[in-house]
Amino acid sequence: MLSYHSRKLKIAIVWVAIALAGGATGGWAWQARERDLLERISRRAARMAVAFDGADLHRLSGTRADHDSPAYARLVRRLRQFHVADPNVRAVSLVRYSTAASGGGERVSTLAASRHDGDATTSGAKDLTKRDASVLRETFETGQPGAAQPFSDAQGQWIRGFAPIEPTTSGRDVKSARELLVLEMDARRWQRELLLAGFQGAFFVWTLLGLPLGVWLALRRQHEQRDVIRNLSEAMEQSHSAIMILDLESRIEFANRGLCQQIGFSRREMIGRRWKEFQFAGAADGHVSDLIATVKAGQTWEGEWFNKRKDGTTYPVRGVVTPVRLPGGSISCFVAVFDDVTDTKRREEELREARDLAMAGDRAKGQFLATMSHEVRTPLNGIVGFTSLLLDTPLTPEQREYVQTIRMSTEALIQLTGDILDFSRIESGKLKLDPMACDPRECVEDAFDLLAARAADKHIEILHRVADDVPAAIVIDGGRLRQVLVNLVGNAIKFTERGEVEVSLAVASEPELEHANPTADPAALALNDHAVSVNADVRPAVPDETCCTLVFRVRDTGIGIPPEHHAKLFRPFTQVDESTTRRYGGTGLGLAICRNLVELMGGEIRVESQTGRGSTFAFTVRAPVAAAQAPVRKLAGLRLGLAVGPGALRRELGQLLRSWDARVIEADAPEQLINQEWELALVEVDEVIARALAVQDPLPELPPEKSIGLVPVSLSNELRTALRKHFGLLVNRPVRHAMLFDVLSGAQPQAAVMAPRTLFGFRVLVVEDNAVNRRLISRVLEKLGCVATLVEDGRKALEELRQRAERYDLVLLDLHMPELDGLATLREIRAGNTGARAQTMWIIALTADAREQQRTRGMAEGLNDYLTKPLSVTDLETALRRFRQEWSTRTR
Ligand code: ADP
């Protein structure tokens, strides 16, 4: 490319040099011709001058008086003879040039002229140009003839020659005066002659040098073109693609070797025949005529068609047909280039089959996972449910331990199936969020509910602190947020032997966000990018100002994580070391799932931890703030005794109660409250204290109607009953803040009591397809003093309600059922298809997986409550309590 340009530049320089040389030669020829012409005129003037006698002229004075003299008449005659002899002569005249002796002034006077113009003699001294005057002076001084440059006037272009008249020997001083002949000739051809001379000079050089260069260049280009054509023909010939040239009638003019090999005909057999004869005239016929029409219209055609081989077989080709245009624009021929695509087609077909297979596999995998989710978890839930019932019966310590182990192992299996399902959804980018308005506080407390028993078993306190400015509701997938919290709090409990686990929740300040440096782990990132990109559309598009970023911190006082392991924690299937797996179990999927969920919710997750000193997992979520009124909670100076041992629980409750404007009297033990002024007392009771209190009488200073016991959720029914003499109410730890407020403000004292199980006496319609679950639910309901009617699918439930709705107070509805599933059944009921009573009946949903998105959807469709399997007595009891509360307000 570069050499091509430098060659062009060199050639241009040579052309410019030749042009300049021609121009210079032309200029030189012009000047030479001009000199020659001037010399010719001056020589002619000199020849004329010889014909005059100086003596004759001396006698003339240059006035009118001379006209009478015979000499004058002779002179004029002679001048006229010269004049008429040549038509190019305009005038011949004789002048006297003199210089005054004093003052140096010069004077030119006409003595005689070949023409008279009125009184004045023409072309005499009177109209000399400046250049004439200077040549005249020179002739006077040197005595040599001369000529001046041409001049123009109204009649045309003229030139003057000057020649001295030889003086006589009369002794006159030729230095002061001299007679001269002035010849004035037509100079019209003068310019043309000069131009001609200049052009001839230039042309000569241009021809001499330019012609060989031009010829050399033309020859070279021809040579190069020949090379290109030879290479192209060679390439066309060697090409594996078939190439042919067709005339305007679609007759083959040229066919390359590739085409001959492809089609099996020799070149001779093809040339001159129509292209159509070699095409498969089947279904593609219309297609081919469209091809010909397109190229004849001057456009390129690209596509596929079928060719016919010599042996009669057909094969698919893919190619381009292009019209070739002459310089004038008309089409001269067509070039077709195409390839046999039999193999490509076969590969495409194979790929399509492979893709279909893969998609079928993917569907099968999805189906398998869904089945696993349901079919595997259902029996597992049955095991957990029945082992829980078993634990409520009298057992030997050994039996109790075995049953507890069975329950724990089964719970771990349920967790594992859930994690695998989630992980596969994330991996395939199918995990979608389902944002709805929800209270972030409730998410934390819901997560605590699920883990409270586990924490209580290990005697670990779980606490939470929520900053006042946290919005009352945000639009987020509450289920997924809860899942992250359950994972982190679950890990915190798992890896902590003593102390506490605390969740704090605050609105993120900007610097906090900048600091959030998620552990950069390429594997986790890659997984995440995929999930995020696929699900980006799920995130609600909300202007920034209505969004808030919340920071959740899950702190524990457990075994901690060495810093060198922090980076890999969020990678799937990674655990700190093998001993962790052996000792604590787990798959290493939890944190990878958390990280993906958090990032889907527009946040980040990071860890701070030191071996032996506990860990803090902090994550942010970004969500639109929902328009919800934050409840105003004020206890207006209520004096509260807080008998809780020094530590995190006392801090949490003290802070909370003060934020409600209560006056708090803190004490390490209830005895310290004696003699103090308080209206209600909150007393921390653990299992050891409960056992001690069970055998003690209540102190008169601590009347039970003013005392509320804060008990571990796992406290047995026997102990709860025994505590009744000491406390009017028992509130489970971890304490739900809203519920505690209701208890203290007297709004819902009953709702908070977690005292011995209530016998509700409700009549419940249970809709559940799984027999084990049906039995489990009926047992649990029995324990709670309810009467259950069991049906195994949605249709039967509708039938039952249609006929006997008045027999039931509420419905427990499994969402996952064959045929008519839970949501469809719900829709039928709410649409009034089973009568007016059923239409407004309280319906509690049951599902195998808390993370399924049906919850929010179900609530929107008219569910009243929601329970997750495995169903525990406590969960159902709480749900029934919620129903009773609602029922009493409805019937009030
Ligand atoms: P799993 O707990 O199922 O093994 P995770 O992804 O939740 O999987 O956790 C991965 C590993 O991170 C755990 O095995 C453990 O080694 C470590 N880890 C997580 N949370 C904590 C914690 N709070 N304290 C100490 N180690 C932790």
Side-chain angles (χ1 to χ4, degrees), residues 444-495:
V444 177
E445 290 176 349
D446 287 351
F448 278 6
D449 279 357
L450 290 173
L451 299 163
R454 217 182 290 169
D457 286 348
K458 290 182 84 175
H459 304 289
I460 293 164
E461 200 72 60
I462 46 179
L463 310 145
H464 65 304
R465 269 186 299 134
V466 183
D468 289 340
D469 56 351
V470 170
I474 55 173
V475 181
I476 200 161
D477 187 332
R480 294 293 174 186
L481 176 58
R482 209 173 299 120
Q483 184 184 348
V484 175
L485 285 162
V486 168
N487 247 312
L488 296 180
V489 176
N491 273 351
I493 296 170
K494 182 155 103 176
F495 297 106

Side-chain angles (χ1 to χ4, degrees), residues 491 494-495 556 561 569 574-576 580 586-588 590-591 615 617:
N491 273 351
K494 182 155 103 176
F495 297 106
D556 65 52
I561 305 158
L569 278 185
T574 339
Q575 295 183 318
V576 167
T580 317
T587 52
L591 290 178
S615 320
F617 284 82

Side-chain angles (χ1 to χ4, degrees), residues 212-225:
L213 179 65
V215 170
W216 179 72
L217 285 176
L219 286 175
R220 204 180 62 171
R221 170 170 293 193
Q222 213 176 41
H223 189 69
E224 281 172 357
Q225 275 176 350

Side-chain angles (χ1 to χ4, degrees), residues 491-492 494-498 556-562 576 580 583-584 609-615:
N491 273 351
K494 182 155 103 176
F495 297 106
T496 302
E497 292 312 324
R498 75 172 64 86
D556 65 52
T557 52
I559 58 169
I561 305 158
V576 167
T580 317
R583 185 153 173 225
Y584 298 100
S609 181
Q610 275 183 0
T611 324
R613 303 198 35 200
S615 320

